[in-house]
Amino acid sequence: MKELKIQPIKNGTVIDHITPGNALKVLKILKIPENVSDSIVSAVMNVESKRGRKDIVKIENRELKASEVDKIALIAPNATINIIRDYEVAEKHHVVVPDEIVGIVKCANPNCISNSKEPIQPRFIVKSREPLRIKCFYCERELEDISSGLM
Amino acid sequence: MNFKGRDIVSIKDLTEEEILHILDIAEGMVPIARGEEKSNLLEGNIMASLFFEPSTRTRLSFEAAMKRLGGNVIGFARPGATSIQKGESLADTIRTAESYCDVIVMRHPQEGSARMAAEFASVPIINGGDGAGHHPTQCLLDLFTIKKEKGDIGKNKVALVGDLKYGRTVHSLAYALAMFKAEMVFVAPEQLQMPSEVVEECKAMGATISFETDLEKAVEDADVLYVTRIQKERFPDPEEYNKVVGIYKVDKKLLENAKKGIIVMHPLPRVYEIAPEIDNTEYASYFRQAFNGVPVRMAILALVLGGIK
Ligand SMILES: Nc1ncnc2c1ncn2[C@@H]1O[C@H](COP(=O)(O)OP(=O)(O)OP(=O)(O)O)[C@@H](O)[C@H]1O
Ligand SMILES: [Mg+2]
Ligand SMILES: [Zn+2]
């Protein structure tokens, strides 16, 4: 626990190894602060670690849903989701970027069919994982700024 | 190779081998397209021609193609009189139309519309242009024209001229030419050059690519001159537009220094970029190119409807 810069939490989630600078985007995905009741949320940015610099987000009394984890993968592909129960890491998941990303980010092309009133969900194909590059299944344009396309 | 039931949304959905097969079938369709021979290959089949955006060549040549093969055509040429005006989604229009026909040809102003239609329809969708997106049958008829007039596709140096940035046909064409390992020179003013994404993709496929701003230089060793229209609305300053339009004018004088046997192609409609004095010379390939839309579309229809393997 040498790494800890903040108070340990009893139950909750630690999102570790977030791409440096993206902690606030992770909070945005998790709809924080709107979605927190009285639990403590802390974000640490740009800390040194064995694998280079990283951001960390810790949320008390909340275990993340799979759909939220999928979104985090898009902006922090190396993140780990650590579920804390009774002060211990009870579960550790590595986020995975799926081959297809459906209903998570919107296409930036205003003339794309996925941005009109059609009964479809935005859908992206992963072109490369490192760096993460995704392209719209419909109009085939690459989404340059993935985090700003988050729904 | 099985084409029956397949959608033709993007040229990228086809392999080199499949493209050559389509072009071979198209070659055999030429006498029927000219009306010299009769055919009832697609008798009893109905093509729905759904044009949400106006078009002359694409729509007419598709309809001619279907009728030359003995098939029937239903559809509309503009969305004005349809339920789209009442706010119906494209998905619903497609699901309704497909119950009346065996194949759908569509043009729609939004990118990705044909891809979406293909998800909803069980009949084949042929993309006749989706906004700034794809126009695969134009690309195929361009390849057909090059092959027919120059004997081969890959052995040529093709100069793509004009609006390479926004032009919907040139991106697909560049990609397809790269597939055949043709040499390409992109002739355009700086602000209308080929997007780097397309250039990268073509290079990755092994194409030799160069850039040129001077059309006179480019014609010296090009085998094919593929000219596109520069649209005035792309330029904020009309002065800038006038400069560029003047530079990229193909006339007799320009072609005096051209490589022997050069052909001039254009997806049409042309405005100023090709002088009418070229029309009756051996260089002018663009009207033959427009005609080639018929046999190529006949081949595509016959293949996806299973009339031919
Ligand atoms: N009770 C706790 N309260 C707050 N943070 C915790 C708690 N327990 C662990 N953490 C933090 O959760 C993260 C994962 O903890 P773990 O003990 O698995 O670290 P690790 O072995 O370094 O894992 P990794 O290899 O994924 O970096 C670390 O950032 C750690 O500081
Ligand atoms: Mg660690
Ligand atoms: Zn799109």
Side-chain angles (χ1 to χ4, degrees), chain A residues 3 16-17 49-51 54 92:
Chain A
E3 220 178 55
D16 199 2
H17 302 290
S49 84
K50 280 168 278 175
R51 286 175 258 166
K54 64 176 182 182
K92 185 190 290 285

Side-chain angles (χ1 to χ4, degrees), chain B residues 191-212:
Chain B
Q191 66 269 46
L192 292 181
Q193 249 312 345
M194 196 63 93
S196 58
E197 212 185 288
V198 180
V199 176
E200 264 175 55
E201 210 171 1
C202 290
K203 280 188 178 162
M205 293 168 73
T208 311
I209 287 168
S210 55
F211 300 88
E212 185 57 77

